[in-house]
Amino acid sequence: MRPTPKDDSLIRNQAYIDGQWVDALSGETFAVTNPATGDVLTNVSRCGAKETAHAIKAADTAQQLWKKTSAKERFAYLMKWHDLMHEHLEDLALLLTLEQGKPLAEAKGEVLYGANYVRWFAEEAKRVYGDTIPNATSDTRLLVIKQPIGVVACITPWNFPNAMLARKIAPALAAGNTVVCKPANETPLSALALAELADRAGIPAGVINMVNGITPEIGEEITSNPIVRKLTFTGSTPIGKKLTADSARTMKRTSMELGGNAPFIVFDDADLDAAVSGLMISKFRNAGQTCVCSNRIFVQSGIYDAFVERLNKAVSELVVGDGRSEGTSIGPLVHERAANNVRALIEEAVSKGATSKSFAIDELPNACFVAPTILTDVSDDMRIFHEEIFGPVAPIFKFDTENDVIKRANDTPFGLAAYFYSRDIGRVWRVSEALEYGMVGINAGAISNEMAPFGGVKESGQGREGSKYGLDDYLEIKSLCMGGIDT
């Protein structure tokens, strides 16, 4: 197993502000550890309000020039950044696995996924179109133009530390904005490596800024500072609600991609092999630590036993271990606290009558690992029905009718992603329209790419990332009324 990237200059441990790598003013640092081994990878500058204010000021200054660059210029900068991500794919993936734990194959997929967003929005920079509106009177003309918002704050999670950041920075820069980013403290190294590559791509100083450290201080500075005109956040619903409320003080625009409780429905006319395959992708990718993971698996009564049998076989083939080891398909959870939360959900379900079956060939390496687990005989009164699992646990619920499962699937305040398998075209339309979710996978377990809008409804957030709609959240619409045309 290669312990570090070949290009060790990608390992950065300072804040990136106004094109410079700087220490925290206090000189303090915090440790970044590998969850698979417990080893300390490095110590990163522990920034707070003052460093964040400096970054915001730098972004504001840079934005005055960046917004004047042409769409073709922004395209060229972003494509250079994109190309460097591909050039350093192996190192970026290894760095991601070291700090987050996911298998190297998944880490490579994440880096490429993030790079796809950079390329997509580089192209979309050239497609920020306006409108002409039929005039109300003969001596006036009405036009609509779109302009950058200004300084954008990006707060990203630990589960996809590379892709979530690329997915936010790319549209912001493409639209002519600058950014101040606060990556998760658990996984700052992937973000700082992206900043290093942005610097190599020649993106001007101050256009991208990165701070990590004292999360409450950084968040308070971002939400209270009137220079920041937009906040985009991916993370938990409680934190998203707080950030939204705090941002209201300065009437910032917000985009929130929050928690989920995704149903995965298998109807009795489904292709069972395809459904199991789709569930394995949706449930066990990143050890179940994704916001669009299948959380509640509903299987129609007549095929319940057959489905569970096939799923047991598929899960038994998963390999638990260090993400750097060849063949590993399930890595550790991000830290022991996360693993304990998942274990508590399993224990509560079992105490109420669920049957648990865990799969792990060898003894688990440390307390950050949770064995892939299938729960049967589960019921809707268990915590696991209502709470996001964020671990490699598949609870299988039985249902009888289409109306019954739609009601139960929608019985949650969340509405990010949903999945179902059926070959009945009428049912496909009925269920797709009835599910209260922002994204629905139909006979598909992987639904996200740069061309499709990503986002939820209800308490899963607001706004969309990716697709042709993804640039709108980073632009202001301005109407121009021109008078005196007849004089």
Side-chain angles (χ1 to χ4, degrees), residues 419-435:
Y419 309 83
F420 72 91
Y421 277 69
S422 174
R423 289 178 288 190
D424 181 327
I425 188 64
R427 173 176 282 159
V428 165
W429 278 108
R430 291 192 305 271
V431 176
S432 297
E433 293 173 352
L435 288 171

Side-chain angles (χ1 to χ4, degrees), residues 186-395:
E186 293 88 346
T187 55
L189 303 184
S190 292
L192 295 173
L194 287 182
E196 168 64 22
L197 293 182
D199 189 65
R200 297 183 193 181
I203 293 175
V207 173
I208 296 175
N209 304 273
M210 299 266 184
V211 291
N212 280 92
I214 310 172
T215 300
E217 281 193 22
I218 296 171
E220 172 62 22
E221 181 61 35
I222 284 172
T223 56
S224 65
N225 195 314
I227 294 174
V228 176
R229 295 310 311 144
K230 174 182 170 64
L231 169 60
T232 172
F233 170 75
T234 297
S236 73
T237 294
I239 299 299
K241 288 180 178 180
K242 178 175 176 12
L243 290 170
T244 300
D246 291 348
S247 295
R249 293 175 295 180
T250 50
M251 289 302 295
K252 299 186 197 310
R253 187 185 297 188
T254 60
S255 295
M256 295 286 154
E257 197 264 280
L258 308 177
N261 190 6
F264 187 103
I265 306 168
V266 185
F267 289 100
D268 55 12
D269 67 319
D271 180 329
L272 288 192
D273 289 332
V276 168
S277 177
L279 179 60
M280 294 299 293
I281 295 169
S282 173
K283 174 69 260 183
F284 293 102
R285 181 167 54 101
N286 198 22
Q289 299 172 112
T290 84
C291 55
V292 295
C293 264
S294 298
N295 213 56
R296 298 166 296 155
I297 299 114
F298 296 99
V299 181
Q300 202 153 16
S301 302
I303 57 168
Y304 184 90
D305 292 339
F307 181 86
V308 170
E309 181 181 351
R310 297 186 195 200
L311 182 62
N312 274 322
K313 183 178 184 303
V315 175
S316 70
E317 295 171 358
L318 294 174
V319 178
V320 178
D322 189 315
R324 293 171 293 170
S325 299
E326 187 175 351
T328 293
S329 46
I330 297 288
L333 271 60
V334 69
H335 44 55
E336 187 175 343
R337 185 175 68 256
N340 287 339
N341 289 340
V342 174
R343 283 189 279 267
L345 286 173
I346 296 172
E347 290 167 5
E348 192 268 352
V350 170
S351 73
K352 289 189 173 182
T355 300
S356 173
K357 186 172 182 179
S358 296
F359 299 82
I361 297 173
D362 301 313
E363 184 178 345
L364 298 177
N366 64 43
C368 292
F369 287 83
V370 175
T373 301
I374 295 175
L375 291 174
T376 52
D377 304 312
V378 285
S379 58
D380 297 9
D381 63 340
M382 297 174 182
R383 283 177 55 204
I384 210 158
F385 180 90
H386 302 281
E387 299 181 23
E388 194 169 23
I389 301 170
F390 246 59
V393 180

